[in-house]
Each structure stands twice: as C-alpha cells, then as structure tokens.
C-alpha cells in the first residue's frame, strides 16, 4: 500500500490568507500549525490590543480552516510555554512521522533567518522542506532584488509609476495616467474646519470578547502597554475586513484624499468618538495580517470610483498610492537593506525617548493627542505618526532604536518590515536618505496648518523664544542648524537656510538657546 507523506505546514500570525493556494485542496495527511508564541509576544512591549487582535484573528483563522475540512493544530500560549522558541516547537512537532515541512516566506527578516537556519538542520534527519510565497503582495518576494538595490537611494514616485503601469491601475491603453497626472497630492492637504466636523462619519467598529485572551496574557505575565478591555474593536476575520473595506468605499473614500493629512481635537461629542478615525480606512491590520490582499482592496476602491460620481480621482489616487506605492516600496527597501538597516543612525541621534511617550502627559497638545490616541486605540494615521510623534523625535535627536521600539510596539498594524523603514527612513532620516529625499522636519506652523491643536495648547505656536513659545519652533531651527552640512546643499531646503541666515545673530542665538533649554528639559516639556 502506498503511504502518502505526512506534511506539516506552518502559518505565522501575520499569514492569515484564506486565498492562499495551500488551501485549495483538503489533504488529510497535511497538518497546519498556528501557534501563539512567547518569542513573538516578547521581542518588544506590544500594545495589549495588538496581541488581542493577532491572537483573536489567529483563532478565527484556525476555526475557519477546520470548518473547511483541514487538519489544524491551534496552539495557545498555554501549550507553547514549554518551548523557548519556534524551532524548538517545530522540532517537537516534526517527531510525529512528518516527511515534509513547509512554510510561507516570512515578512520579517528575524523569522526568515530563524526558519532558514532551522531547515538547514532538517536535511540531516531526512525531512524535506520548502519555503513558498505568501501570495499576498503585488510583487513576489523573490522578485524584489530586480527593483531594489542595497544601500542605494530610491524614490517611491518612480516605483509607484512602474507599479501603476505594470498592474494597469488608473492608466489608459498607452499607460498614461488617468487625469493626466500621476500624483494629486497637492489637492489633498485640507484642514478640517468647524463646518466639517458634523459630517465626519462615526467609524465602523466591531466588538469581540477577548476576555480569554486577556486571561492568557495575565497568566503568562506578558508585558503590554496601552488601553484594552474585554471588547476588541478591530476586525478579526476576512468577512469583517471586507465590511470595513465596503464601509470605507461608501462613506469615507469621497473625502479621504481631501482630509488625509488633517488632524483635530474637536470632532468628538458625548456619543461618538470619531477624531481618531476621520476618513481613514483603518485597513492596515487587516492587510498586514493578510486577511485581505492589497489587490482586493485596490480593485474594490477602483470599482467604487467608477460607479460613484461622488468619488473623484484625487481621493482614489491618494489612497492607491499608499498601498501600491508606499506599502510595496517600503517592503522592498526593508528586504534589500536588512540586516544592516537596523544599525542606521545617520544623524547620530542618541537622546532618550521622554517617559511621557508611554502616557501622553505632555503640555504639547499635538503630542498629547497623538500619544493618548495611540494608547487608547493602538492606532494613529500616517500624519500623526510622521509629522507629530515622528517629527518631535527627529527634532530632539532621539535614539532611533528607542523610537523603533515605541512604534513597533504601540500600533496594531506594526510589523517590522513596515515599521522599520517608515521609522528609520521616512520619519527619522536615520538611513541618510535611502527612502526620503529630505528630512521631514517641521515647526509648529505645520501643525497649526493641518490641525486645530494649537488653539487650545499651553504653548504659543506663533512664538520662538518667549517663555511659552511652542517648543517645535526653536527645536526646528536647532535641528536645521545642527545638520546644515548635510541639508543645506539639498535644493528642497535651500530656501529654509536663506531665511535662517537673514535673521540677526542675536535672534538666531536666542532661538538656539531656547531649543537647548527644551532639549535639557524634555521630560517636563
């Protein structure tokens, strides 16, 4: 009698892709393993909602595979606590007469290395192994070296145009962009005014009982941060992710681009909290856990755009650029530059992250809002991340390792492949410009332009050197002055330096003194 080989297939917590070709057929000799791992809950201090969301989504995925007839081993922390790491768990599982071990290419360098090393030992014990594509992104993993070069400056815009043409997105037969332009960013920089507030839809949120997960977190003494109770508001399966996508296309997309950079502290009322979500899709957890694919999201958005006159091209282009442009670009830059990207600190930043990043207790209203919201929801939109918390860390020279750990831990969607290049590259300029063409540094003026935070702030956004002057103003000039050798030759920043050099020496000195005072008192700012 022919004995079919027994296969063990590993599904990582961010590989919850029901459309993967693995699941096309049911094979009773194949066991899928989905495991909560101590090594994954402790490589950084995670937001409690992040652990809740991943564990709940993993459980839901395991259940869905079981109902479809697959053999699934779903292991919780209770079952895996005796294993120091993933290879130790796998070694144990492979003892059960397994001939073939398969896994999907991880998106994290750390896990990829760990599994590659593990498989090298399998040859010695006659177990075959294979690593397959995760079938999630537009670009296959093995194709990335064709588009990216290590230690080389790349511009997202060129990559984005290539992707639009290759995948025929918003282009005509001759690959010219719809609307005659590739990028409508200029039109997407509106501030939310009083009259806009009542029009902001309340977000679609879910309600999952995560009390058992909370008990496990407690039982295993897992260190977490942020607010979380027994109800989780994030989507935890494909169906809910599709609901969130549909809600976005119907109610948020018509104004998404217009207000994509806006922030407000005045949109909530007694019943609804909506200033944390505004017109953002909040699909990042669904995407990064792979419950839905970028292609599905983009195709759905384009379908709605074609069918709904209320949605104009600028809204859609801005959204698609985030997913087809930035998301795929950041992943390519991560893989081509690892592991050395971890050590990048081009601006030699080495200050400590202020302790109020863990509780939001600062007199700076913009930072108070961005941090409090992040602690409350495990979420902030791209401008809060880049231009509020990120800009502050950039201007004050915070050690990028500490900045990374904060971003990687606090956000529900943060996995290293997406967090690291966004933080080190885009936000902190620690890679010296591999990703960004200039440092995203801004004074209080930017915050005032894009938000209503300044009106109710302890500090005065119009002042640079007075007692209650907005710290961002002096810190901005201190930063530009400190790094002038690096930035002054950049045509995008020449104008800034011209303005600075025009100021009287005493005024320059007073500004730098004020910045130094704030730098010495970051804890109390």
């Amino acid at each position: 009698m022919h004995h079919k080989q027994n296969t063990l297939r590993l599904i990582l917590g961010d590989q919850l892709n029901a459309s993967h070709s693995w699941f096309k057929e049911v094979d009773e000799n194949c066991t899928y393993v989905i495991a909560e791992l101590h090594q994954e809950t402790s490589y950084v201090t995670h937001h409690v909602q992040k652990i809740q969301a991943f564990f709940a989504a993993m459980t839901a995925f395991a259940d869905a595979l079981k109902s479809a007839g697959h053999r699934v081993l779903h292991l919780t922390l209770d079952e895996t606590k005796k294993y120091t790491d993933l290879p130790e768990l796998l070694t144990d599982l492979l003892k059960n007469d397994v001939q073939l071990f398969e896994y999907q290419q991880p998106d994290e360098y750390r896990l990829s290395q760990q599994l590659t090393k593990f498989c090298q030992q399998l040859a010695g014990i006659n177990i075959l192994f294979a690593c397959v594509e995760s079938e999630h992104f537009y670009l296959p993993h093995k194709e990335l070296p064709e588009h990216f070069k290590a230690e080389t400056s790349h511009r997202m815009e060129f990559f984005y145009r290539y992707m639009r043409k290759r995948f025929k997105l918003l282009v005509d037969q001759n690959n010219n962009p719809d609307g005659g332009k590739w990028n409508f960013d200029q039109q997407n920089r509106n501030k939310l005014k009083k009259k806009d507030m009542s029009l902001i839809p309340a977000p679609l949120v879910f309600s999952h009982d995560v009390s058992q997960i909370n008990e496990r977190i407690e039982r295993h003494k897992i260190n977490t941060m942020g607010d979380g109770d027994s109800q989780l508001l994030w989507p935890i399966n494909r169906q809910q992710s599709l609901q969130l996508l549909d809600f976005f296309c119907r109610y948020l997309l018509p104004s998404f681009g217009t207000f994509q950079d806006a922030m407000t502290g005045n949109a909530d009322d007694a019943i609804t909290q909506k200033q944390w979500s505004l017109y953002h899709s909040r699909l990042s957890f669904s995407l990064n856990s792979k419950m839905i694919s970028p292609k599905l999201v983009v195709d759905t958005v384009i379908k709605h755009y074609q069918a709904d006159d209320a949605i104009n091209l600028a809204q859609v282009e801005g959204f698609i650029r985030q997913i087809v442009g930035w998301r795929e670009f950041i992943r390519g830059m991560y893989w081509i530059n690892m592991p050395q990207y971890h050590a990048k600190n081009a601006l030699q930043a080495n200050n400590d992250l202020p302790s109020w990043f863990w509780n939001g207790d600062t007199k700076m209203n913009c930072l108070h809002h961005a941090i409090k919201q992040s602690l409350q929801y495990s979420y902030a939109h791209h401008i809060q991340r880049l231009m509020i918390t990120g800009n502050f860390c950039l201007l004050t020279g915070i050690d990028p390792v500490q900045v990374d750990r904060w971003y990687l831990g606090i956000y529900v969607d943060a996995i290293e492949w997406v967090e690291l290049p966004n933080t080190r590259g885009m936000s902190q300029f620690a890679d010296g410009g591999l990703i960004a063409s200039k440092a995203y540094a801004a004074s209080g003026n930017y915050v005032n332009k894009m938000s209503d935070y300044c009106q109710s702030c302890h500090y005065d956004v119009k002042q640079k050197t007075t007692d209650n002057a907005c710290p961002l103003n002096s810190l901005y000039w201190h930063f530009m002055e400190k790094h002038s050798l690096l930035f002054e030759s950049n045509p995008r920043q020449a104008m800034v330096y011209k303005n600075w050099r025009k100021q009287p020496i005493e005024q320059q000195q007073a500004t730098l003194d004020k910045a130094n005072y704030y730098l010495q008192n970051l804890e109390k700012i």
Side-chain angles (χ1 to χ4, degrees):
M1 189 180 137
H2 174 65
H3 179 64
K4 268 191 75 174
Q5 69 181 31
N6 284 327
T7 304
L8 183 74
R9 284 175 170 172
L10 172 68
I11 299 169
L12 294 170
D14 66 343
Q15 295 177 336
L16 311 179
N17 175 8
S19 312
H20 196 279
S21 55
W22 267 0
F23 310 122
K24 290 235 182 343
E25 289 166 14
V26 172
D27 175 358
E28 62 205 27
N29 296 298
C30 174
T31 302
Y32 292 96
V33 63
I34 297 177
E36 298 174 359
L37 296 166
H38 284 260
Q39 74 168 41
E40 297 308 297
T41 53
S42 61
Y43 64 81
V44 73
T45 301
H46 296 287
H47 196 297
V48 63
Q49 287 179 46
K50 183 182 180 187
I51 296 182
Q52 289 172 344
F54 272 103
F55 281 9
M58 286 157 74
T59 304
F61 194 65
D63 291 345
L65 287 181
K66 281 178 200 161
S67 342
H70 297 284
R71 287 185 59 171
V72 183
L73 191 59
H74 175 236
L75 305 173
T76 70
L77 290 174
D78 297 338
E79 286 94 29
T80 63
K81 78 161 188 284
K82 57 175 184 281
Y83 304 105
T84 53
D85 58 12
L86 174 59
E88 202 174 287
L89 164 68
L90 292 172
T91 303
D92 210 19
L93 295 176
L94 291 174
K95 287 178 184 156
N96 305 327
D97 189 28
V98 173
Q99 283 86 43
L100 172 65
F101 170 63
E102 290 187 320
Y103 66 99
Q104 296 174 28
Q105 170 59 48
D107 288 313
E108 246 175 308
Y109 182 82
R110 168 183 67 90
L111 283 162
S112 191
Q113 291 295 99
Q114 192 181 41
L115 285 163
T116 304
K117 222 160 96 186
F118 172 72
C119 287
Q120 284 160 359
Q121 299 156 14
L122 293 183
I125 52 171
N126 273 344
I127 293 177
L128 298 169
F129 60 87
C131 171
V132 303
E133 285 283 348
S134 69
E135 302 175 13
H136 169 80
F137 293 95
Y138 276 95
L139 291 181
H141 184 84
K142 53 178 173 295
E143 207 190 282
L144 294 176
E146 294 169 31
H147 305 280
F148 299 93
K149 267 190 13 220
E151 298 297 328
T152 306
S153 197
H154 289 66
R155 289 298 157 258
M156 195 282 293
E157 187 65 30
F158 298 114
F159 171 77
Y160 169 54
R161 291 175 189 189
Y162 161 80
M163 294 288 281
R164 289 258 305 265
K165 292 175 196 169
R166 171 167 165 183
F167 294 101
K168 299 280 177 256
L169 300 167
L170 302 178
V171 291
D172 66 16
Q173 290 96 320
N174 306 320
N175 270 341
N176 296 316
D178 289 1
K181 306 204 296 199
W182 290 103
N183 188 317
F184 288 83
D185 210 20
Q186 298 315 116
Q187 295 177 28
N188 292 343
R189 295 185 180 150
N190 290 30
K191 182 174 180 162
L192 285 159
K193 303 204 165 67
K194 274 212 169 61
K195 62 171 176 30
D196 301 316
M197 298 300 173
S198 61
L199 300 173
I200 301 166
L204 171 65
V205 293
F206 300 92
S207 187
H208 304 291
D209 180 1
V210 285
S211 45
Q212 281 186 318
I213 292 172
N214 289 346
E215 283 164 24
R216 278 207 296 286
I217 291 173
E218 192 89 354
R219 196 159 55 238
H220 295 277
K221 299 187 172 45
I222 294 186
N223 200 10
T224 62
M225 65 157 133
D227 310 341
D229 53 29
S230 60
Q231 297 299 313
L232 177 74
L233 60 81
W234 293 98
I236 59 163
N237 58 37
R238 185 181 164 85
Q239 184 202 349
Q240 290 170 356
S241 302
L242 291 171
Q243 274 178 270
L244 197 57
L245 171 60
D246 183 68
F247 182 87
F248 170 67
C249 292
R250 284 173 197 270
Y251 304 109
L252 307 174
L253 184 57
S255 299
F256 167 75
T258 309
F259 297 118
Q260 71 174 15
D261 292 1
M263 297 164 285
T264 177
N266 293 322
D268 290 354
D269 54 43
I271 309 156
T272 329
Q273 294 203 312
K274 55 188 185 178
Q275 67 200 27
W276 71 284
S277 52
L278 302 175
Y279 290 97
H280 296 276
S281 71
R282 294 183 301 107
L283 289 165
S284 48
F285 174 68
S286 298
L287 278 163
N288 293 355
S289 58
K290 302 187 185 49
M291 294 187 289
I292 51 175
S293 73
K295 186 180 185 314
L296 173 80
V297 171
V298 168
D299 290 351
T300 306
V301 162
I302 291 176
K303 216 185 286 147
H304 275 264
Y305 160 62
Q306 288 165 344
D308 184 350
D309 289 342
I311 304 168
N312 69 38
L313 182 57
Q315 317 304 318
V316 174
E317 186 280 314
F319 184 77
I320 285 175
R321 187 171 358 115
Q322 306 273 338
I323 294 183
V324 176
W326 277 116
R327 190 169 182 266
E328 300 273 331
F329 177 73
I330 286 291
R331 166 177 170 251
M333 291 298 278
Y334 172 78
W335 277 102
I336 211 75
N337 288 301
M338 283 299 281
Q340 64 278 18
Y341 204 82
H342 254 309
K344 301 246 175 249
N345 191 359
L347 303 182
Q348 295 170 339
N350 55 16
N351 287 329
D352 287 332
L353 192 67
S355 60
W356 46 260
F357 261 73
W358 307 93
N359 58 31
D361 294 341
T362 166
K363 296 191 283 289
M364 298 178 75
N365 201 28
C366 55
L367 279 135
H368 169 77
H369 271 281
I371 293 169
K372 277 286 193 212
Q373 178 192 305
S374 302
L375 290 165
Q376 191 179 350
Y377 292 105
S378 193
Y379 174 81
H381 70 66
H382 61 273
I383 292 295
Q384 293 173 302
R385 299 188 201 198
L386 178 67
M387 299 307 298
I388 304 295
T389 45
N391 177 52
F392 179 84
C393 293
L394 175 70
L395 298 185
T396 52
I398 307 296
D399 171 5
V401 173
Q402 296 184 30
V403 182
D404 268 329
R405 291 182 72 79
W406 187 80
Y407 279 100
L408 185 57
I410 201 165
Y411 292 121
V412 68
D413 51 42
I415 300 167
E416 192 187 73
W417 69 267
V418 70
E419 174 279 324
L420 186 66
N422 268 312
T423 305
R424 290 264 166 144
M426 191 67 184
S427 164
Q428 300 303 293
F429 207 74
D431 67 0
L434 296 184
I435 285 176
S437 57
K438 68 174 184 108
Y440 278 84
S443 66
N445 186 39
Y446 176 85
V447 179
N448 200 23
K449 206 167 71 191
M450 294 315 305
S451 79
D452 48 31
Y453 296 146
C454 304
Q455 296 155 14
S456 50
C457 186
H458 167 84
Y459 295 105
D460 184 346
V461 70
K462 297 282 188 265
Q463 300 302 321
K464 271 207 294 261
T465 55
T466 56
D467 275 357
N468 69 335
C470 170
L472 296 174
N473 294 336
S474 54
L475 290 168
Y476 170 77
W477 289 113
H478 175 274
F479 173 82
M480 297 306 282
E481 176 65 25
K482 182 178 180 182
H483 300 294
S484 58
L485 275 176
L486 191 57
F487 296 141
E488 198 155 2
S489 56
N490 184 334
R492 289 187 70 178
Q493 307 202 291
M495 204 45 208
V496 170
Y497 283 101
K498 260 202 196 83
N499 290 339
W500 172 244
R501 307 265 175 253
K502 271 192 232 154
Q503 293 178 22
I505 289 290
E506 309 78 75
Q507 200 184 331
Q508 290 184 11
Q509 197 48 55
T511 303
L512 298 176
D513 289 346
K514 188 71 182 171
N516 282 316
Y517 167 79
Y518 282 137
L519 286 166
Q520 278 152 26
N521 293 280
L522 286 183
E523 280 295 331
K524 300 197 267 297
I525 224 165

